[in-house]
Amino acid sequence: MIHRNTLLALAIGAGLLTLAACSKDTPETAGSTPDAPPVAGATDASADAFVKRVNDEYKAASPELNAAQWLSSTYINDDSQLLAAKASEQNLNRLNGWIKAARQFEGKPMSADSARAILLLKLATAMPPPSDPKKVSELTTIATRMEGMYGAGKSCTGEGPVKVCRDIGQLSEVLAGNRDYTAQLDAWRGWHTISQPMRKDYVRFVELVNEGAREMGFADAGEMWRSGYDMTPAALAAETDRLWGQVKPLYDDLHCYARTKLKAKYGDDKGQVDGGMLPAHLMGNLWQQDWGNLWDVLQPYPDAGSLDINGALQARHAANLARLRAEKPNATPAERVEIEREAELITAKQMTQTAEDFYVSLGMPKLPASYWQKTQFIKPRDREVQCHASAWDMDMAGDVRTKMCIKPNEEEFTTIYHELGHVYYYLAYNHQPPLFQNGAHDGFHEAIGDTIVLGMTPKYLQTINLAKAGDQNQEALINTQMRMALAKISFMPFGLMIDRWRWGVFDGSIKPEQYNKAWWDLKAKYQGVAPSTPRGEEFFDPGAKYHVPANTPYTRYFLSHILQFQFYKSLCDASGHTGPLYDCSFYGNREAGKRYWAMLGKGASQPWQKTMKELTGGETMDGTAVLEYFAPLQAWLKQQNEGQSCGWQPTSKG
Ligand code: X8Z
Ligand code: ZN
């Protein structure tokens, strides 16, 4: 699944054990136990026979592992966590057995596919397990506990009967919609209390995965993460620097504009922090990774273009609710609660059908009936669940699902398109051998749905009745571009900094006693964001971001934010689009769909450069398409920023 939780947490989507998209990972071998890992290889006559056996066992094992992880994500309690940790443990022990057995084939003749499969096997989990089974057990227990703590995390005030607790959804709503400085600060600080108890676990977790990575021949777990890109780990790190250098000037322009607006709203002292950095709690999002909720503050031209998607989705939901209420005018209070939930579910399913329709319009299949039966669309009210959106491939044979807590707003709506990108990847590469059922690299998995999101132009939004036909003048264009930039450009430095922190943690250059300081130093350096109140080492702010306790690598999202513009441009070309890039939607275009589906079907069966070439004609990741897309906005931002002294001094308050 795309976020593969714990074990596999690695790769979103990708198939192999780990590296898939947001999904889960690994397989289990029928009949084996943690104490008796299979003596793999002993009976395999050749490397090709070995790979075939691993593929079979991998697939056979996946339903049980995924079932345990699905339960522990959609029904968080001690029992489901125990079972998930055990399934994960068994899975990692099995993986260790395979990796060990693969060594006997080193230097022996084998097909190119088998060589690639063995390479991928070694990178199959983001959580490299030590060979000592006791340590594997400790590792999976810690990993499951940290993820559970995040999922059940709440910020509480008061005691006894006046105790009030708020979960991530409620706290996020404050940042999204309440513009009161103190209310936002309170919500932001509240959420960051949930990770304080994780720090000790995380320190031990790092020790254990580093041990596992070293046993496999990597310098540390970070180097292992950087090894999954068909290039050296050092080259991958340099690539991310190069790509960031391409898009940073645009981020700097957006940063400068946002700061001017925040200062106008909150005053020169409160609208910025220290050397011109943006206050962490005022960006509309707990991690400042998406500034879209600040539309009311940052909108260039009020009302131009009438793109009020939030309003349209809420109106849809209100209509659903009104219809159900009208059917039962004399409902009791308890029945009224049920009616509200039913309306929420109907709205969430409608939003998902609209997203599905985009994919189907490209010629892709409809989602299977089981998807609609087994997906978690909304937050249940009788138990704790992991609300962080994810996409799952339960059995590598069509049981695909998503798990979300959908609300009728624009951010959630586009997240559905994102998750369905993972799901369609799963379906497209289902025919590949299990070890190739993954993204070309993990950034590909993350980019599939987001590419579709770029195709959600004003014209498309009108087609699906979420926007009114407005004047398409220059002001409307700048509004549309700003809406996209607040989601995409604001994200880029965040996409980079998370793993800059983890790479440092894994290689030891960031020590446990500097975890928080190093986090805020990187936030300052890359995002130009700072907390408004000191964040000493009594906090563990990295743990308040899902992917840290869930151990999901994050560089994939940075790469995806570059790749999705390249894919978008290629699909636009395939659809025969002429004119400015930002104006293209390939909605309904079968030729674009055919080319996209062909790429998805390749999975991880060949180096990503080859897969990329087949779609785009090029073999490198490149930020030029990002700049081409946003050219009108960048020119506008430069005008707006004239006379301002832009940039910031990254002094940290960590
Ligand atoms: O985690 C996700 C997806 C699941 S793969 C919802 N994303 C990152 C995040 O939320 O931090 C998508 C964008 C970045
Ligand atoms: Zn994803």
Side-chain angles (χ1 to χ4, degrees):
M1 66 187 192
I2 281 194
H3 80 255
R4 265 156 207 224
N5 289 337
T6 324
L7 292 187
L8 311 174
L10 308 181
I12 282 208
L16 301 191
L17 310 171
T18 333
L19 297 178
C22 275
S23 61
K24 313 242 133 200
D25 296 313
T26 320
E28 313 197 345
T29 307
S32 71
T33 70
D35 301 332
V39 221
T43 54
D44 299 306
S46 66
D48 295 343
F50 167 71
V51 168
K52 169 151 192 343
R53 182 172 65 77
V54 172
N55 268 323
D56 290 347
E57 292 178 358
Y58 183 66
K59 183 167 176 178
S62 91
E64 187 178 327
L65 175 68
N66 286 322
Q69 293 191 334
W70 174 265
L71 276 181
S72 84
S73 292
T74 59
Y75 211 124
I76 302 177
N77 64 24
D78 290 348
D79 301 322
S80 63
Q81 287 192 36
L82 177 81
L83 295 175
K86 282 288 158 202
S88 185
E89 179 185 336
Q90 192 178 16
N91 190 40
L92 289 181
N93 281 318
R94 175 165 307 110
L95 179 61
N96 265 341
W98 288 331
I99 292 172
K100 206 164 142 209
R103 288 195 196 124
Q104 70 187 290
F105 301 109
E106 274 166 22
K108 301 260 168 65
M110 64 179 90
S111 69
D113 275 1
S114 292
R116 182 163 179 83
I118 289 177
L119 180 81
L120 294 174
L121 186 63
K122 290 186 194 146
L123 299 170
T125 177
M127 194 162 82
S131 53
D132 177 351
K134 276 209 207 71
K135 289 186 176 166
V136 179
S137 175
E138 185 187 1
L139 177 62
T140 59
T141 303
I142 291 177
T144 307
R145 184 165 60 223
M146 288 195 299
E147 199 178 346
M149 268 193 226
Y150 184 94
K154 285 193 185 53
S155 158
C156 300
T157 52
E159 292 290 332
V162 290
K163 185 168 172 183
V164 178
C165 293
R166 291 181 294 175
D167 64 20
I168 188 169
Q170 294 165 308
L171 296 165
S172 295
E173 262 170 32
V174 174
L175 298 193
N178 187 331
R179 292 289 158 258
D180 179 71
Y181 184 94
T182 315
Q184 291 178 84
L185 185 56
D186 193 48
W188 185 87
R189 285 162 64 171
W191 178 248
H192 286 76
T193 59
I194 67 116
S195 49
Q196 285 173 289
M198 284 175 202
R199 178 187 274 261
K200 220 171 130 232
D201 272 348
Y202 197 75
V203 173
R204 180 65 181 146
F205 178 84
V206 170
E207 287 168 3
L208 290 168
V209 292
N210 270 343
E211 189 175 325
R214 285 190 196 111
E215 286 181 37
M216 278 184 219
F218 298 98
D220 59 74
E223 191 190 74
M224 179 175 168
W225 286 12
R226 294 189 295 278
S227 297
Y229 296 91
D230 298 302
M231 58 174 83
T232 65
L236 183 271
E239 261 310 78
T240 59
D241 284 338
R242 183 184 67 78
L243 295 166
W244 172 232
Q246 286 185 293
V247 293
K248 182 176 188 307
L250 177 53
Y251 179 76
D252 290 349
D253 293 338
L254 188 64
H255 183 281
C256 193
Y257 170 76
R259 185 175 63 200
T260 307
K261 292 285 187 181
L262 285 174
K263 286 198 296 188
K265 176 149 189 76
Y266 295 98
D268 280 2
D269 54 335
K270 286 185 161 170
Q272 62 180 346
V273 182
D274 297 341
M277 290 188 280
L278 304 171
H281 66 288
L282 293 183
M283 302 312 293
N285 172 279
L286 284 164
W287 313 279
Q288 313 80 46
Q289 69 182 70
D290 181 332
W291 304 348
N293 289 324
L294 287 196
W295 186 244
D296 53 319
V297 182
L298 302 180
Q299 185 177 13
Y301 298 104
D303 300 330
S306 17
L307 268 191
D308 182 13
I309 297 164
N310 281 330
L313 289 168
Q314 276 152 20
R316 235 175 233 194
H317 178 56
N320 286 332
L321 187 56
R323 183 171 49 76
L324 292 185
R325 282 184 177 152
E327 282 168 14
K328 234 181 182 186
N330 302 320
T332 63
E335 285 168 339
R336 256 181 263 141
V337 173
E338 286 309 320
I339 286 172
E340 264 169 41
R341 296 204 39 86
E342 204 186 325
E344 266 177 43
L345 184 61
I346 290 172
T347 307
K349 285 190 178 173
Q350 282 173 347
M351 289 164 72
T352 309
Q353 278 158 356
T354 305
E356 178 198 33
D357 165 69
F358 199 129
Y359 290 86
V360 171
S361 87
L362 299 175
M364 297 189 194
K366 291 198 82 141
L367 294 167
S370 60
Y371 171 86
W372 298 100
Q373 285 147 12
K374 296 182 174 180
T375 278
Q376 177 191 295
F377 291 98
I378 59 172
K379 188 175 182 344
R381 65 193 154 99
D382 59 343
R383 58 189 195 258
E384 302 290 356
V385 300
Q386 189 67 260
C387 277
H388 190 87
S390 56
W392 299 59
D393 185 3
M394 301 297 289
D395 60 357
M396 300 182 146
D399 181 357
V400 287
R401 307 176 191 175
T402 51
K403 176 188 61 55
M404 291 186 65
C405 300
I406 298 175
K407 294 193 180 141
N409 65 49
E410 180 178 356
E411 202 178 336
E412 297 277 319
F413 188 50
T414 54
T415 299
I416 300 171
Y417 285 70
H418 173 97
E419 295 308 332
L420 290 192
H422 292 303
V423 166
Y424 277 101
Y425 218 160
Y426 298 147
L427 295 174
Y429 59 49
N430 253 184
H431 65 278
Q432 292 282 355
L435 286 170
F436 291 161
Q437 291 199 29
N438 216 328
H441 68 52
D442 54 8
F444 278 60
H445 231 299
E446 294 306 334
I448 304 311
D450 282 17
T451 301
I452 306 289
V453 171
L454 292 175
M456 296 169 75
T457 54
K459 201 163 136 256
Y460 164 74
L461 292 165
Q462 283 167 33
T463 315
I464 58 169
N465 290 323
L466 281 183
K468 292 188 224 103
D471 296 342
Q472 285 313 305
N473 53 26
Q474 182 65 11
E475 294 191 354
L477 169 63
I478 295 302
N479 270 359
T480 305
Q481 290 242 302
M482 180 63 82
R483 170 180 152 263
M484 208 54 109
L486 293 179
K488 304 289 181 192
I489 302 303
S490 63
F491 180 82
M492 291 195 176
F494 181 74
L496 207 58
M497 64 78 44
I498 297 229
D499 282 354
R500 289 289 188 272
W501 183 80
R502 281 190 294 202
W503 293 352
V505 165
F506 289 135
D507 75 16
S509 59
I510 297 174
K511 310 247 173 319
E513 51 287 6
Q514 317 154 333
Y515 273 177
N516 228 41
K517 176 175 184 328
W519 176 259
W520 287 106
D521 283 350
L522 288 163
K523 297 276 290 180
K525 176 176 170 193
Y526 286 103
Q527 290 182 277
V529 160
S532 299
T533 52
R535 305 296 300 173
E537 296 300 330
E538 68 276 28
F539 298 106
F540 179 52
D541 294 327
K545 175 65 195 166
Y546 171 77
H547 303 68
V548 173
N551 195 43
T552 308
Y554 213 83
T555 304
R556 60 184 57 175
Y557 300 106
F558 172 73
L559 298 177
S560 147
H561 276 67
I562 301 286
L563 282 172
Q564 58 193 252
F565 286 87
Q566 293 179 267
F567 295 167
Y568 173 69
K569 189 172 160 68
S570 299
L571 296 183
C572 290
D573 288 348
S575 72
H577 174 78
T578 52
L581 184 56
Y582 57 75
D583 212 15
C584 153
S585 177
F586 41 81
Y587 175 68
N589 190 284
R590 296 291 166 123
E591 181 56 27
K594 202 171 98 194
R595 299 195 52 152
Y596 211 27
W597 186 253
M599 177 174 97
L600 303 187
K602 291 286 160 75
S605 64
Q606 58 188 22
W608 65 263
Q609 292 89 341
K610 187 154 188 270
T611 305
M612 173 179 249
K613 191 163 185 191
E614 288 164 9
L615 181 74
T616 69
E619 297 189 340
T620 41
M621 295 183 273
D622 181 34
T624 329
V626 177
L627 301 177
E628 181 185 342
Y629 181 96
F630 284 114
L633 181 72
Q634 191 165 18
W636 183 86
L637 285 169
K638 289 209 183 297
Q639 277 171 9
Q640 299 298 308
N641 292 336
E642 243 168 57
Q644 301 284 339
S645 90
C646 292
W648 64 91
Q649 293 297 320
T651 49
S652 122
K653 248 198 193 167

